[in-house]
Amino acid sequence: MEHSSTRYIRWLQLHRHLASLWTGLRQVTAAGSPTTGSYRPYGLDCSGYTDWVYKTALGVTLYEGSRTQWDNSYAITEAELLPGDLGFMAVPGTVPVNHVLLYAGKDASGNALWAHYSSGYGGVAMNSPDYVTQYRRVTGVDLEAELPITPEGGT
């Protein structure tokens, strides 16, 4: 198993590689999404971004919609977070619009870093928002296993 700092660096490199592929505006078509009809990279919002990362990096489909991603994951504690886990702003149904993010690890100061599509940042961002209150792991995904691809796109 990789050391946690090594995994963190690999997830950061993978995020940078995937973000470099994240180009071309398309219309969001997700049914029920408040962003439907707007133009975003690949036509995706926050849940579309997390699904796209999982598909691209791990070959796993999370499906569209933060509620569906919530339903296909299980609760973990903040102490259990591994790079690739999901963070949510709130429990679905308790807020009008939810937000889903990907945990990337901690920075040198110990702050949690989250990768997510943010309309406020105009695209993919990696930062430490203070609104993440729910931590979840995707069902059936082993985040402690070796990543199947390298940032250069090889195996």
Side-chain angles (χ1 to χ4, degrees), residues 4-5 16 19 26 30 37 40 45 47 50 61 63 67-68 70 76 80 82 86 91 125 129 133-134 141-142 155:
S4 62
S5 63
R16 287 185 186 120
R26 293 187 179 87
R40 309 243 173 136
D45 56 9
S47 63
T50 54
T61 299
Y63 305 103
R67 178 60 186 242
T68 302
W70 175 279
I76 59 172
E80 295 173 298
L82 293 172
L86 302 176
V91 174
T133 66
Q134 306 296 311
V141 174
D142 182 3
T155 56

Side-chain angles (χ1 to χ4, degrees), residues 5-62:
S5 63
T6 304
R7 287 191 61 72
Y8 166 70
I9 291 168
R10 291 203 57 216
W11 271 94
L12 281 179
Q13 291 171 334
L14 180 62
H15 168 73
R16 287 185 186 120
H17 169 69
L18 295 176
S20 73
L21 303 174
W22 190 258
T23 60
L25 296 178
R26 293 187 179 87
Q27 190 172 28
V28 177
T29 60
S33 172
T35 61
T36 297
S38 64
Y39 284 84
R40 309 243 173 136
Y42 278 101
L44 302 175
D45 56 9
C46 63
S47 63
Y49 174 71
T50 54
D51 181 49
W52 181 80
V53 170
Y54 262 76
K55 282 179 191 172
T56 305
L58 303 172
V60 174
T61 299
L62 297 183

